Amino acid sequence: MSLLRKFTILFGACIVCTSTTSAVADSATGRSRAQVVAELRRLEAAGYNPNANEEYPGNLQTAEHRAAELDPSNSEQAGASAKALKAGGATP
C-alpha cells in the first residue's frame, strides 16, 4: 500500500471521529449543541451575561430563576446546566 493511500485512510478516519463527537456539545448531560445554544439564548434573554466573570455564578443563578419564572417547564433543564457548570463540565 502506498504512503499516500495510507495517509488518505488515516485522514478519513480522523474526519469520521471528529464529526461524530462534535454532535454532542455537553457530554455531562448528553444535550446537543442546538439545545445548549437555545438554553444560553434563553438565559441571556433573562439577563445572564456570560462575559461577566466577576459576577459568576450569581448572575447565572439569577438568570435561571428569572427564566424559570417566565417558563417553568424549562426550570429542570436550567438546573441541570448549572450543576454541570459548577462541577467543571463543558460550558455552553
Side-chain angles (χ1 to χ4, degrees):
M1 196 184 284
S2 72
L3 183 61
L4 182 59
R5 182 160 173 86
K6 288 180 184 178
F7 177 76
T8 304
I9 291 171
L10 180 62
F11 183 74
C14 291
I15 296 295
V16 169
C17 290
T18 57
S19 66
T20 58
T21 58
S22 65
V24 176
D26 187 358
S27 60
T29 60
R31 293 178 296 157
S32 70
R33 182 173 306 280
Q35 290 170 317
V36 172
V37 169
E39 182 179 352
L40 179 58
R41 287 185 181 146
R42 184 179 62 83
L43 291 171
E44 287 177 333
Y48 176 60
N49 180 2
N51 296 319
N53 292 332
E54 66 277 354
E55 297 175 17
Y56 181 83
N59 61 351
L60 174 61
Q61 293 167 343
T62 302
E64 285 176 339
H65 291 296
R66 286 182 190 152
E69 290 173 359
L70 297 173
D71 186 8
S73 65
N74 286 328
S75 61
E76 184 178 314
Q77 181 183 7
S81 71
K83 288 177 186 173
L85 286 172
K86 289 176 190 171
T91 57

